[in-house]
């Protein structure tokens, strides 16, 4: 079968009511104390109910709100719009350097007013953990359910034409779906009749040594978890280039790191790795799984992780090979704003006159890559 590739950006998810970057920016620029909570386990969630851990974690809550306000009023000087990925770049770089005078004054004032003794590295480390979880919570919208959606789809369905296109392409092609989104919309569509049972995301639970616990109606049961095996042998193959809100890293003694899939309802504690001894005994090792999902943020910071051996380098190698071997590339909702992604496109696809790129967007993106192909 011939290969055909798709590249999905944030604009792809918008018709299904997933937030655009502009909506994420508005949500977190004016984030209030009443809109989120930080649990004592360091897990953080958006909420519209009273925070049960307020007394214990109140300083962490105050820092989230105060730091965002400081960034908007002092660093941006109210002259630029808040952008969550540019903000991510800023504070990640600040973690690695000494604060300037304005930043130093903010940190010292916060510690004095809140009677809190953490230095700026510790404060920003904790802030990043909280902020990433809150962003993940906001863009998750819903977890995929094992519900079979039958064809024909309603004319009011937001991605009716897209699913019909996939069904058509899958008749004679191996379809490679590359997405820059962290959300779970494509995972939801993997349950739809037109593509269900013909999909792969590179993860598999067959012979997986990872287990977690799910609680249903006060009954806790152990389930086997998927882990990334970098195998794509289906008709429809999904590549989450920037990670996903359900990707988590299992850390074994700081020596072995492996990407696993989170399941809806999975308990935060109790994830284990099964180890078989030379005597055939099965032992269960409590490794470390962070409460923060594994996805990339920042306009420049995320590019630094493209070569990471755990997951990303393998995914991007697949991306390059798929581009090279595909006669067609269909781009949906991507504004060509990622310099590294654009370089992959240029090196592996754009300069080949025998390959065709189709761009679907509300407006024509301003990019020399489009000019080269049209």
């Amino acid at each position: 079968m011939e290969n055909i590739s798709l590249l999905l950006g944030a604009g792809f998810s918008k018709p299904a009511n997933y937030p655009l970057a502009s909506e994420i920016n508005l949500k977190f620029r004016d984030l209030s104390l009443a809109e989120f909570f930080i649990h004592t386990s360091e897990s953080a969630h958006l909420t519209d109910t009273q925070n049960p851990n307020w007394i214990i974690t109140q300083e962490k809550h105050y820092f989230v709100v105060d730091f965002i306000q400081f960034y908007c009023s002092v660093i941006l000087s109210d002259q630029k719009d808040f952008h969550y990925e540019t903000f991510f770049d800023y504070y990640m770089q600040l973690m690695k350097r000494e604060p300037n005078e304005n930043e130093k004054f903010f940190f010292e004032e916060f510690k004095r007013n809140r009677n809190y003794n953490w230095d700026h590295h510790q404060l920003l480390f904790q802030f990043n953990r909280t902020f990433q979880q809150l962003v993940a919570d906001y863009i998750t919208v819903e977890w995929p359910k094992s519900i079979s959606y039958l064809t024909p789809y309603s004319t009011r369905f937001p991605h009716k034409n897209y699913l019909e296109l996939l069904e058509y392409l899958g008749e004679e092609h191996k379809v490679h779906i590359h997405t820059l989104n962290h959300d779970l919309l494509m995972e939801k569509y993997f349950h739809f009749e037109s593509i269900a049972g013909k999909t792969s995301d590179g993860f598999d639970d067959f012979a997986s040594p990872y287990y977690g616990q799910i609680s249903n109606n006060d009954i806790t049961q152990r389930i086997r978890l998927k882990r990334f095996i970098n195998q794509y042998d289906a008709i429809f193959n999904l590549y989450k280039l920037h990670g996903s809100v359900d990707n988590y890293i299992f850390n074994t003694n700081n020596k072995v790191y492996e990407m696993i899939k989170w399941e809806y309802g999975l308990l935060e504690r109790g994830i284990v790795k099964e180890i078989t001894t030379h005597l055939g005994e099965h032992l269960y090792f409590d490794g470390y799984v962070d409460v923060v999902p594994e996805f990339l943020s920042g306009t420049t910071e995320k590019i630094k992780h493209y070569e990471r051996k755990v997951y990303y380098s393998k995914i991007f190698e697949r991306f390059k090979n798929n581009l090279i071997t595909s006669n067609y590339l269909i781009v949906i909702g991507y504004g060509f704003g990622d310099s590294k992604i654009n370089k992959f496109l240029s090196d592996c696809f754009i300069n080949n006159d025998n390959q065709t790129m189709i761009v679907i967007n509300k407006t024509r993106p301003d990019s020399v890559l489009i000019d080269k192909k049209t």
Side-chain angles (χ1 to χ4, degrees):
M1 301 178 74
E2 293 185 353
N3 291 328
I4 190 165
S5 286
L6 287 81
L7 177 61
L8 310 179
F12 170 80
S13 298
K14 179 56 182 174
N17 295 320
Y18 285 73
L20 291 171
S22 58
E23 295 170 283
I24 301 174
N25 297 338
L26 289 174
K27 175 67 177 178
F28 290 97
R29 182 194 66 186
D30 301 318
L31 188 70
S32 69
L33 292 171
E35 293 180 276
F36 70 100
F37 74 83
I38 305 170
H39 194 270
T40 51
S41 68
E42 297 188 357
S43 62
H45 304 278
L46 294 170
T47 181
D48 55 4
T49 59
Q50 186 176 9
N51 173 18
N53 301 290
W54 173 251
I55 299 300
I56 301 175
T57 60
Q58 60 177 308
E59 290 85 3
K60 295 176 182 178
H61 287 80
Y62 277 120
F63 184 79
V64 169
V65 173
D66 290 355
F67 183 60
I68 293 175
Q69 291 177 350
F70 163 77
Y71 175 76
C72 291
S73 62
V74 177
I75 303 302
L76 294 183
S77 302
D78 293 323
Q79 298 175 1
K80 298 179 181 178
D81 291 332
F82 175 84
H83 192 292
Y84 81 101
E85 291 208 86
T86 305
F87 174 55
F88 179 86
D89 287 338
Y90 163 75
Y91 74 72
M92 289 301 292
Q93 292 165 10
L94 178 54
M95 285 178 66
K96 304 168 188 174
R97 64 171 173 82
E98 290 302 310
N100 61 31
E101 288 302 315
N102 286 332
E103 294 160 346
K104 185 177 181 180
F105 179 78
F106 165 76
F107 288 118
E108 292 300 326
E109 281 293 288
F110 177 83
K111 289 189 291 184
R112 182 164 43 252
N113 292 336
R114 303 297 177 194
N115 193 27
Y116 210 53
N117 294 322
W118 281 11
D119 65 24
H120 88 279
H121 298 288
Q122 294 170 302
L123 287 167
L124 290 177
F125 178 79
Q126 177 62 47
F127 173 86
N128 176 58
R129 293 169 64 78
T130 299
F131 188 71
Q132 288 290 80
Q133 290 180 79
L134 296 182
V135 170
D137 205 9
Y138 188 56
I139 65 179
T140 298
V141 180
E142 64 174 317
W143 280 80
K145 299 180 179 67
S146 296
I147 299 174
S148 179
Y149 296 84
L150 305 179
T151 55
Y153 306 113
S154 167
T155 55
R156 292 174 295 179
F157 187 74
H159 284 107
K160 174 181 182 294
N161 294 336
Y162 171 74
L163 289 167
E164 291 175 343
L165 172 65
L166 287 186
E167 186 174 8
Y168 171 76
L169 295 176
E171 292 177 358
E172 297 183 0
H173 297 84
K174 188 172 183 178
V175 183
H176 302 286
I177 307 167
H178 311 88
T179 178
L180 303 175
N181 301 330
H182 320 310
D183 62 50
L184 302 177
L185 181 57
M186 273 308 310
E187 284 84 348
K188 172 183 176 179
Y189 289 162
F190 272 11
H191 292 292
F192 281 45
E193 183 188 34
S194 56
I195 57 178
K198 310 171 190 174
T199 63
S200 174
D201 61 0
F203 288 77
D204 200 347
D205 61 3
F206 179 75
S208 170
Y210 297 101
Y211 293 85
Q213 294 180 335
I214 287 182
S215 180
N216 290 315
N217 299 321
D218 295 326
I219 299 176
T220 301
Q221 62 183 101
R222 176 174 287 177
I223 63 169
R224 193 188 294 266
L225 301 177
K226 293 181 179 179
R227 87 289 196 206
F228 184 67
I229 61 172
N230 195 25
Q231 183 173 323
Y232 294 90
D233 53 7
I235 298 297
F236 303 100
N237 301 279
L238 178 64
Y239 309 83
K240 307 289 285 281
L241 299 181
H242 288 165
S244 181
V245 295
D246 63 344
N247 280 9
Y248 285 77
I249 289 181
F250 189 96
N251 175 354
T252 307
N253 292 332
N254 294 325
K255 295 179 180 179
V256 179
Y257 300 85
E258 193 161 14
M259 195 76 78
I260 63 174
K261 275 291 180 190
W262 199 267
E263 296 285 342
Y264 179 74
L266 195 66
L267 301 179
E268 290 183 355
R269 298 293 178 240
I271 298 176
V272 297
K273 181 177 184 179
E274 183 182 68
I275 299 174
T276 305
T277 70
H278 67 284
L279 298 176
E281 297 176 305
H282 298 295
L283 305 179
Y284 294 93
F285 173 78
D286 280 319
Y288 177 72
V289 180
D290 203 346
V291 294
V292 184
E294 179 56 45
F295 64 91
L296 303 181
S297 286
T299 58
T300 57
E301 283 292 323
K302 62 188 172 190
I303 296 175
K304 300 175 183 178
H305 297 270
Y306 285 4
E307 298 299 323
R308 275 170 54 188
K309 293 182 180 179
V310 180
Y311 183 77
Y312 294 105
S313 63
K314 299 180 180 69
I315 281 287
F316 277 102
E317 191 62 31
R318 289 278 188 177
F319 181 44
K320 291 187 289 185
N321 290 336
N322 292 339
L323 289 174
I324 292 170
T325 59
S326 295
N327 292 327
Y328 291 89
L329 172 64
I330 302 173
V331 181
I332 307 175
Y334 172 54
F336 293 84
D338 186 310
S339 60
K340 189 66 173 180
I341 295 295
N342 291 346
K343 189 173 190 314
F344 287 136
L345 295 177
S346 179
D347 293 346
C348 303
F349 192 89
I350 299 297
N351 293 323
N352 188 333
D353 294 335
N354 296 321
Q355 295 174 303
T356 301
M357 180 171 68
I358 302 169
V359 179
I360 302 173
N361 214 327
K362 293 184 67 174
T363 59
R364 180 186 173 93
D366 183 15
S367 172
V368 295
L369 297 182
I370 296 180
D371 297 334
K372 286 182 180 181
K373 274 294 184 181
T374 57

